[in-house]
């Protein structure tokens, strides 16, 4: 398990190309737009060292449990704890912490047989990369969604041949990839990128049917991040979350990136690309991480809500209690129940013990609807308080300091404490960071229709059919 300092040293000036507003970033670890999340990740690497609850032993070495292939209920519990570790360090506000894609790579390696079907060298590549990633405790990000050029057409019928990433050249020592993927969250601060497709490819898409990994420093690989919110945050007091927990989202441009064969998991195999996430259980494990992370965020939200209700003298008013209970606590408890039930009813597939796929997919589908109501509930609670807030500077200015201290206080909190609480909430509800958070929760897995289709596929419809058949045979 590696130290935070080693993580930072690994991504600092390693030759990666990140172009923000057209300008190259020299050192992503110190750039104001990326230093915050880099620090968070580094400190969580440090905190994991020596914590036996979120580690496991293999081949005489201790590894983070994010690399643990779950083969028992105990393993699943250990994975839940490691996901909580990463989520608690950022209050669930960073979705693509290292444990997300580690879940995918781990499932791939545990089910190498799926990749072996195209030739054992592909299974070998998956396992070899998994071992390296695990032994070095790498932070792997991923880009599996192509640009929204024309969603009505498959990859090979887009207006240009390599808008979606595909194989531009095949060489003796590897393949050359050209094209772009729409979003890779956290890629700017990660070690490796996993590149493939999550939405099914169609017949004719052979050139695009790839799964590969590449270091962020690969020649020809460029990241175009959206503007980081920390760069527009005036202070940590005014933007407490934007300033620290913006994990960055990046367009990935591949200008003829060479990928050696050992980093190729799938090559020109449409069926395998389409099956890889579902048949290996990677999709379930990654979404399980996402639900656990989201639960931590909900716990944080519930804390903010009750603290604000207390501060404004609302928490003893029954209609407000009902609002807090129905709109926030119910959601929090229901999600916790889904997470725990998924773990309590695992499904074993080829030796891999997965949290109940039907519960996990139901959680993802419901969560992306409920989160919209959650945001409305917080707005109801905050009222005008979210808008009537002084800036950090107003506390320092002689002209305003006295009034600011007097008129922004509540019955129980000083002005600074009340305003800090409100700013935390507004950064979750109303700022640009907040808008991105909502979009993330709605789309991190898939659009609603795809998430719902997954529920359809994983649900046990037979149970209901049995009732119906019984009801048709009255005794
Ligand atoms: C903040 C954020 C972070 C992300 N991070 C990552 C990341 O790290 N890595 C990564 O690979 N991806 C990432 N994504 C991308 C994510 O995987 C996609 O947004 C998601 O898969 C949905 O695809 P899309 O955005 O292309 O939506 P589209 O497929 O373009 O769909 C958009 C909308 O069009 C409609 N629609 C489209 N097709 C249909 C259809 N067949 N039937 C009915 N309606 C339809 C629906 O209303 C749908 O909501 C991220 C997205 C966001 C917002």
């Amino acid at each position: 398990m590696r130290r935070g300092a080693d993580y930072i040293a690994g991504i600092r000036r390693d030759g990666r190309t990140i172009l923000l507003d057209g300008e190259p970033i020299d050192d992503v670890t110190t750039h104001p737009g990326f230093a915050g999340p880099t620090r968070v990740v580094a400190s969580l690497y440090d905190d994991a060292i020596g914590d036996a609850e979120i580690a496991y032993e293999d081949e005489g070495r201790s590894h983070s449990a994010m690399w643990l292939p779950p083969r028992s209920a105990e393993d699943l519990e250990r994975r839940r704890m490691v996901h909580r570790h990463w989520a608690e360090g950022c209050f669930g506000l960073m979705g693509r912490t290292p444990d997300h894609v580690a879940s995918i790579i781990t499932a791939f390696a545990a089910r190498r047989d799926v990749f072996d079907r195209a030739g054992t060298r592909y299974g070998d590549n998956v396992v070899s990369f998994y071992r390296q990633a695990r032994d070095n405790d790498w932070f792997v990000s991923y880009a599996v969604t192509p640009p929204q050029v024309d969603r009505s057409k498959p990859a090979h019928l887009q207006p240009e041949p390599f808008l979606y990433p595909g194989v531009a050249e095949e060489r003796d020592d590897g393949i050359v990839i050209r094209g772009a993927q729409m979003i890779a969250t956290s890629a700017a601060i990660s070690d490796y990128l996993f590149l493939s497709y999550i939405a099914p490819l169609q017949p004719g898409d052979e050139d695009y049917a790839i799964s590969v990994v590449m270091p962020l420093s690969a020649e020809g690989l460029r990241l175009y991040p959206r503007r980081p919110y920390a760069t527009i945050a005036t202070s940590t007091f005014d933007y407490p979350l934007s300033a620290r927990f913006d994990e960055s989202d990046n367009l990935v441009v591949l200008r003829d990136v060479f990928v050696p064969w050992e980093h190729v998991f799938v090559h020109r195999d449409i069926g395998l690309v389409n099956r890889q996430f579902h048949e290996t259980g990677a999709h379930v494990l990654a979404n399980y991480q996402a639900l656990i992370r989201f639960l931590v965020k909900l716990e944080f939200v519930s804390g903010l809500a009750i603290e604000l209700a207390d501060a404004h003298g609302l928490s003893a008013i029954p209609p407000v209690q009902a609002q807090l209970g129905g709109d926030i606590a119910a959601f929090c408890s229901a999600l916790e129940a889904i997470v725990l039930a998924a773990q309590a009813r695992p499904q074993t597939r080829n030796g891999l013990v997965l949290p109940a796929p039907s519960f996990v997919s139901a959680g993802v589908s419901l969560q992306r609807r409920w989160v919209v109501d959650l945001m409305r509930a917080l707005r109801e609670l905050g009222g005008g308080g979210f808008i009537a807030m002084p800036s950090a500077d107003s506390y320092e200015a002689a002209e305003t300091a006295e009034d600011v201290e007097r008129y922004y206080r509540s019955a129980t909190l000083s002005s600074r404490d009340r305003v800090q609480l409100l700013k935390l909430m507004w950064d979750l509800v109303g700022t640009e960071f907040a808008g991105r958070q909502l979009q993330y929760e709605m789309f991190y897995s898939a659009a609603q229709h795809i998430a719902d289709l997954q529920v359809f596929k994983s649900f046990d419809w037979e149970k209901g059919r049995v009732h119906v058949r019984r009801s048709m045979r009255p005794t």
Side-chain angles (χ1 to χ4, degrees):
M1 292 168 69
R2 75 172 160 175
R3 297 177 310 133
D6 295 330
Y7 154 67
I8 288 177
I11 64 169
R12 170 179 287 154
R13 293 199 175 111
D14 63 347
R16 65 187 57 208
T17 305
I18 306 173
L19 293 149
L20 176 60
D21 299 331
E23 295 294 324
I25 289 177
D26 172 43
D27 179 355
V28 74
T29 68
T30 55
H31 186 282
F34 305 89
T38 306
R39 265 198 305 275
V40 171
V41 171
S43 72
L44 287 168
Y45 270 122
D46 279 336
D47 292 347
I49 293 172
D51 187 343
E53 205 176 26
I54 56 170
Y56 74 106
E57 298 285 325
D58 192 35
E59 297 172 348
R61 286 183 61 179
S62 178
H63 306 285
S64 164
M66 67 182 175
W67 302 106
L68 172 65
R71 302 203 183 281
S72 65
E74 293 71 38
D75 289 349
L76 268 189
E77 172 62 6
R78 206 167 282 265
R79 289 195 66 86
R80 188 175 71 84
M81 295 311 291
V82 81
H83 296 321
R84 281 199 69 95
H85 165 79
W86 286 102
E88 284 178 6
C90 60
F91 308 102
L93 299 167
M94 290 167 64
R96 303 303 202 221
T97 42
D99 53 327
H100 183 75
V101 181
S103 304
I104 292 170
I105 303 293
T106 300
F108 280 6
R111 290 297 313 277
R112 66 164 292 165
D113 57 296
V114 173
F115 298 88
D116 282 345
R117 280 179 222 151
T120 51
R121 69 173 171 148
Y122 294 109
D124 287 346
N125 293 345
V126 171
V127 171
S128 159
F129 179 75
Y130 161 75
R131 283 172 181 269
Q132 285 178 63
R134 178 196 67 176
D135 294 352
N136 292 290
D137 220 1
W138 278 334
F139 184 172
V140 186
S141 54
Y142 73 159
V144 291
T145 316
Q148 289 168 314
V149 182
D150 185 347
R151 286 285 186 261
S152 71
K153 294 191 171 62
H156 71 285
L157 294 182
Q158 294 296 314
E160 278 180 34
F162 289 106
L163 287 174
Y164 286 18
V167 183
E169 190 190 338
E170 196 173 320
R171 295 180 5 193
D172 287 346
D173 49 352
I175 53 179
V176 175
I177 312 287
R178 188 181 302 160
Q181 288 292 47
M182 179 168 70
I183 305 185
T185 299
S186 290
I189 59 167
S190 67
D191 299 293
Y192 262 81
L193 181 75
F194 167 57
L195 185 121
S196 189
Y197 289 84
I198 185 96
L201 295 175
Q202 306 297 326
D205 285 344
E206 285 75 9
D207 286 347
Y208 304 87
I210 46 166
S211 271
V212 298
V213 284
M214 57 188 76
L216 262 302
S217 58
E219 203 181 326
L221 172 60
R222 290 169 157 220
L223 298 183
Y224 299 161
R226 61 161 166 73
R227 188 166 297 176
Y229 307 127
T231 58
I232 45 180
T234 45
S235 72
T236 309
F237 180 81
D238 288 322
Y239 296 93
L241 306 178
S242 310
R244 291 179 291 166
F245 301 114
D246 178 13
E247 57 192 333
S248 94
D249 301 296
N250 309 269
L251 176 79
V252 177
V253 176
L254 302 121
R255 291 190 165 190
D256 289 355
V257 176
F258 172 69
V259 179
W261 283 119
E262 61 264 29
H263 281 164
V264 177
F265 300 168
V266 180
H267 179 232
R268 299 175 58 82
D269 188 331
I270 294 171
L272 192 44
V273 164
N274 293 351
R275 283 196 309 271
Q276 61 184 341
F277 291 104
H278 296 285
E279 207 173 324
T280 58
H283 198 253
V284 179
L285 282 190
N287 280 337
Y288 192 54
Q289 176 275 339
L291 291 181
I292 292 164
R293 188 270 315 158
F294 187 66
L295 176 58
V296 170
K297 180 168 163 181
L298 277 183
E299 291 165 5
F300 179 49
V301 167
S302 70
L304 292 170
I306 196 72
E307 291 279 330
L308 191 71
D310 286 348
H312 288 182
L314 295 171
S315 45
I317 301 173
V320 179
Q321 290 177 343
Q323 198 184 334
L324 289 169
D327 292 342
I328 297 172
F331 186 8
C332 201
S333 294
L335 199 81
E336 184 171 12
I338 289 174
V339 164
L340 295 177
Q343 198 178 325
R345 292 257 203 100
Q347 188 185 88
T348 304
R349 274 194 221 156
N350 289 54
L352 212 54
V353 176
L354 300 172
S358 59
F359 293 177
V360 171
S361 57
V364 169
S365 165
L366 291 171
Q367 168 253 308
R368 75 187 297 302
R369 292 174 207 269
W370 289 347
V371 67
V372 181
D373 291 340
L374 181 76
M375 290 300 117
R376 193 182 58 79
L378 291 179
R379 280 179 184 262
E380 292 284 5
L381 193 66
F386 286 154
I387 306 306
M389 284 190 289
S391 66
D393 292 343
S394 319
Y395 287 96
E396 308 307 325
E399 196 63 32
T400 49
E402 197 183 324
D403 281 346
V404 165
E405 294 287 0
R406 176 178 298 120
Y407 294 119
Y408 288 103
R409 64 180 293 243
S410 82
T412 56
L413 292 183
S414 71
S415 170
R416 271 175 204 268
D417 285 351
R418 173 175 171 267
V419 169
Q420 180 68 100
L421 187 60
L422 284 165
K423 284 189 186 270
L424 275 169
M425 293 180 77
W426 187 240
D427 222 359
L428 256 178
V429 169
T431 62
E432 205 172 339
F433 174 85
R436 185 267 175 196
Q437 286 280 313
L438 179 57
Q439 202 68 3
Y440 182 83
E441 302 304 356
M442 291 176 65
F443 279 95
Y444 73 75
S445 173
Q448 188 74 58
H449 67 104
I450 303 282
D452 291 347
L453 202 59
Q454 202 49 43
V455 185
F456 176 85
K457 286 180 182 166
S458 59
F459 186 70
D460 178 6
W461 294 100
E462 190 51 28
K463 268 188 201 162
R465 289 188 203 278
V466 169
H467 290 308
V468 173
R469 284 197 287 267
R470 224 167 19 90
S471 72
M472 288 176 171
R473 288 192 307 267
T475 50

